[in-house]
Amino acid sequence: MNKNQEHLLRQITDTIEPSLTAHNIRANGKSISRLSTKNINIIAKKNGTGLDIIIQPNTKNEIVHIPVLIDESGIEECVYNDFYIGEYADVQIIAGCGIHNDGTLASRHDGIHTFHVGKNARVKYMEKHYGDGQGHGKRNMNPKTVIEIEKNGFMEMETIQMQGIDSTKRSTTAKLAENATLIVKEKILTQGDQTAETDFDVNLCGENCSTNLISRSVAKNASRQIFRAKMQGNNKCYGHTECDAILMDQADISAIPEIAAHHLEANLVHEAVIGKIAGEQLIKLMTLGLSEKEAEEQIIHGFLK
Amino acid sequence: MNKNQEHLLRQITDTIEPSLTAHNIRANGKSISRLSTKNINIIAKKNGTGLDIIIQPNTKNEIVHIPVLIDESGIEECVYNDFYIGEYADVQIIAGCGIHNDGTLASRHDGIHTFHVGKNARVKYMEKHYGDGQGHGKRNMNPKTVIEIEKNGFMEMETIQMQGIDSTKRSTTAKLAENATLIVKEKILTQGDQTAETDFDVNLCGENCSTNLISRSVAKNASRQIFRAKMQGNNKCYGHTECDAILMDQADISAIPEIAAHHLEANLVHEAVIGKIAGEQLIKLMTLGLSEKEAEEQIIHGFLK
């Protein structure tokens, strides 16, 4: 792993060293390190399009890392990873992507991740997207997540994009069985002329299933964001979606939630707020000695923390 | 005016007798009574498609009634009424539609109302839709409202549909200039296999303009409702939209608001809740001696009041 790749890896993974856990590190289109454990089997698909990650039932407190690193300008790839999480497992999956682009060609990673969350299983899934580099070549990512949660299953997904991605189309679809729970926390910061689109489509199918989608975003400069969230209540269920967005400079943000109740006991709520940083907050911090810019940074940092 | 028409008129107008104010009463496709006043001129369009209602500047505390009554089965009509509200006027406009259908043919009224609200003018606009009759012929209405509010203008629109309309597509578009205000209050109750669609599209163009869209609805039996509300902030402005819906029986409700901020000082908020009547509320009323049905009716009545 070269210096750029090491830097990308530090940006997108948590503090835990991937090499100590089940992992697959993909760099410039190839696997450069892979480890399966007794309970977690990571196998390359025969057609070469991605990985199957098979987590045995009852696997507890294990972590899977599958970071993707790109530091060659011009790499454009589409990878299919399928996660099978066995019954009563309780695991954490960390799957970020970092692109360093010093060249003139666009680099792009499209990760299509499918999660089969078994009965009574619990998964925490984190996905961090990061870009840097001196070139004019674009850094693009289009993560697609397909989730199926069986009876009593639980999944929490955290998706973070704070820097350096020129264009993202983030699509997440989910289908929940009886008593299943899905929590999604999205944090996005765009700047320059970046664009970020988010699309959620959650189907609440099983009795007493529930979802909570929370999006917090900041758009600076001339960046553009679109947030779409569709929740369909097909049974006795609870769904909540919330989009809080801070607008700065000449940025542009749209929020388009859709809630559809197809069952008497579907209980659906959404809320969204788009606005600039409150003047009082800025003034308060400036009276404490911060410049306007510092005060703004501190407010944004707190908002996206 | 026959007995059916008199009954329809009582249902859709306020307590004030239309014949005492500026008015045009349309029954089965023809004007059966019309009155202009010194300040309010009601003129049939030369091409026969509807009316021009011209309200002089500074007209205060006057009311215009333009009810539409249909009690012949099979009448299907599209009427264009244009309202010109002069500067500093302060008036009330009541424009409901009632359909009584004892026959087998569909009756339909599509009213396309355009409002030019002058500088500093204030308008309160009420639109009540009502249907009854023993026939199998459908009672359909597709009201379309186009609103332009000039600097410092104010419009409050109240639209009510409580009974007897099989299908409605309600479209309201608005464009607001500097300091203009638009308030919309919608109340809808559907039952049987009725369908009601609402579409708002408000363009907040002038500095410090604002809008508040409030929809309350109840869907019973197998009825279906769709609520769409788009607010676009193109200047320093404030927009709020809120959709509260009660679901009963096998009904189906979707809420699809869209807020888009194209300006740093656009402040946009939306919220929506779809759910059934809270169990505690029902039980509380039932312990006071009401049957479940009576308790439901009382809650709905309070909700839509």
Side-chain angles (χ1 to χ4, degrees), chain A residues 247-249 251-276, chain B residues 247-249 251-276:
Chain A
L247 201 61
M248 298 176 76
D249 313 314
D252 190 300
I253 301 179
S254 292
I256 314 162
E258 174 171 353
I259 55 179
H262 307 306
H263 187 280
L264 174 61
E265 308 222 40
N267 190 213
L268 305 174
V269 179
H270 68 63
E271 23 189 344
V273 181
I274 304 176
K276 64 168 189 167
Chain B
L247 201 61
M248 297 176 76
D249 313 314
D252 191 301
I253 302 179
S254 293
I256 314 163
E258 174 171 352
I259 54 178
H262 308 305
H263 188 280
L264 174 62
E265 308 221 41
N267 190 212
L268 305 175
V269 179
H270 68 64
E271 24 188 343
V273 180
I274 304 176
K276 64 168 190 167

Side-chain angles (χ1 to χ4, degrees), chain B residues 54 63 65 138 160 189 202 221 227 249 254 261 271 297:
Chain B
I54 298 153
I63 297 177
H65 270 91
K138 296 288 180 197
I160 299 175
L189 173 70
V202 181
N221 311 128
F227 171 84
D249 313 314
S254 293
E271 24 188 343
E297 287 306 322

Side-chain angles (χ1 to χ4, degrees), chain A residues 74-120:
Chain A
I75 285 193
E76 299 200 88
E77 61 180 12
C78 180
V79 176
Y80 294 79
N81 293 335
D82 292 345
F83 298 82
Y84 300 87
I85 297 118
E87 298 185 7
Y88 290 98
D90 186 350
V91 295
Q92 197 176 336
I93 298 167
I94 302 174
C97 177
I99 297 179
H100 175 90
N101 195 344
D102 279 335
T104 53
L105 299 171
S107 295
R108 193 189 83 231
H109 176 78
D110 296 351
I112 292 112
H113 286 182
T114 306
F115 290 86
H116 307 272
V117 181
K119 286 179 191 157
N120 301 291

